Amino acid sequence: MLRTLFFLIFFISTLSFTSGAQEQTYRGTEFWAGYGHHQFMEPSNTNGQELVFYLSTLQDPATVTITIDSSNTPWSRTYNIPANSVIVSDPIPKSGVSDARLYGIPIVFGGNGGVGLFRKKGIHIESNVPIAVYSHIYGQASSGASLLLPVSSWGYSYQSMNSKQEYTSNCYSWAYVVASKDSTLIEIKPSVLTLYQNYTGLQPGISKMITLQKGQVYQVLGANQAAD
C-alpha cells in the first residue's frame, strides 16, 4: 500500500514574494489555482468530474475575473458579487482548447500521465476588493474542497499530507505548485514513490529544482499500489 504522501516544497525565488507577503489572511485580491487530478480523467472513465470556485465578499461589492491562459484563446469569466454574499463560478473547462485539467494521457500512450510541467493551465483569479475563494471538485460519488490562500499570504515552505490510496488503481494522491511570477524556483522533495518517477526524476528523499514561469503549474502524483 502507498504510505501517506508527503511533499516538502520550498519556494526560493526572490522575485516571487514581496515584503508584503505573510499577511496570514485568507482574503485577498489575487489567487492562483490548478485543476488537479481526478479519477474520472483517466481513459477508463468519462471525464465526469467538475471544478468550480465559490467566491465570497463582505461589505464591498466585488468584480471578480477568472482567467485560463490556454494555448489558443484565453478562457475568461467576470462576476459581479453583491456585498455579504457568495456565488459559484461556471464549471472550469475540461476539454477543448481551454482545457485546464492537469492531466495528459498515460506516458505509455505518448502523454505525461498528469505529472510534470503544465505551461498553459494556471487558473488566475483577480478581484477589485478582498474576497475569499474556495475550490470544489466533485464527481458522481466524491467531493473535495479547499480554501485558497491569496498570493499576499503565500509562504516559502509547505508539506502536502495526503491520504493512503486504497480505492482503485487509477486514483492517486497529488500535489501541485503554481507560480505567480516568472523565474520562480522551487525545490520538491518527495518522501515516497511518485508516479512515473523515472520520467519526472522525482525520487524519494532526493530534492529536485524546477523553474516555473508565471501561470505554470507543476503537479506530482503518488505512485499507486492499490492493485498490488
Side-chain angles (χ1 to χ4, degrees):
M1 296 181 185
L2 180 64
R3 294 172 293 157
T4 304
L5 178 64
F6 294 91
F7 287 101
L8 185 60
I9 303 175
F10 294 98
F11 294 81
I12 303 176
S13 173
T14 57
L15 297 177
S16 296
F17 301 93
T18 66
S19 60
Q22 302 284 342
E23 290 183 4
Q24 302 300 318
T25 177
Y26 61 90
R27 294 187 178 275
T29 57
E30 182 183 16
F31 302 79
W32 284 93
Y35 198 150
H37 183 272
H38 194 283
Q39 177 196 11
F40 289 170
M41 297 176 184
E42 294 293 330
S44 59
N45 286 280
T46 61
N47 199 27
Q49 82 292 331
E50 298 289 355
L51 173 66
V52 297
F53 292 97
Y54 292 83
L55 311 169
S56 170
T57 185
L58 292 177
Q59 290 81 12
D60 298 317
T63 300
V64 182
T65 300
I66 301 177
T67 305
I68 303 167
D69 185 19
S70 63
S71 298
N72 294 288
T73 302
W75 182 93
S76 181
R77 295 290 185 275
T78 298
Y79 305 93
N80 295 307
I81 310 171
N84 300 304
S85 63
V86 180
I87 69 165
V88 182
S89 74
D90 294 290
I92 300 302
K94 57 182 181 178
S95 62
V97 296
S98 298
D99 186 354
R101 298 173 303 158
L102 302 180
Y103 180 74
I105 59 175
I107 288 178
V108 293
F109 299 116
N112 63 6
V115 301
L117 177 64
F118 292 86
R119 292 181 171 81
K120 293 288 186 177
K121 301 287 187 177
I123 303 171
H124 197 197
I125 303 172
E126 298 177 286
S127 174
N128 64 324
V129 298
I131 60 172
V133 182
Y134 297 81
S135 64
H136 183 204
I137 188 169
Y138 56 92
Q140 183 177 2
S142 62
S143 178
S146 177
L147 173 66
L148 300 187
L149 290 178
V151 172
S152 59
S153 291
W154 285 7
Y156 293 88
S157 176
Y158 289 94
Q159 282 189 338
S160 175
M161 297 186 293
N162 290 295
S163 60
K164 294 179 180 179
Q165 282 298 349
E166 299 177 330
Y167 183 52
T168 69
S169 59
N170 59 8
C171 288
Y172 306 95
S173 296
W174 53 267
Y176 66 72
V177 182
V178 57
S180 66
K181 293 187 178 181
D182 289 337
S183 302
T184 296
L185 181 64
I186 63 171
E187 180 182 356
I188 300 180
K189 185 179 180 180
S191 64
V192 296
L193 297 175
T194 62
L195 186 66
Y196 302 129
Q197 61 180 0
N198 293 332
Y199 168 77
T200 62
L202 297 178
Q203 305 292 332
I206 300 176
S207 296
K208 180 173 181 178
M209 310 298 294
I210 302 162
T211 299
L212 301 178
Q213 304 306 319
K214 181 178 180 179
Q216 292 186 346
V217 188
Y218 196 96
Q219 180 169 253
V220 182
L221 274 64
N224 186 295
Q225 300 179 13
D228 293 346

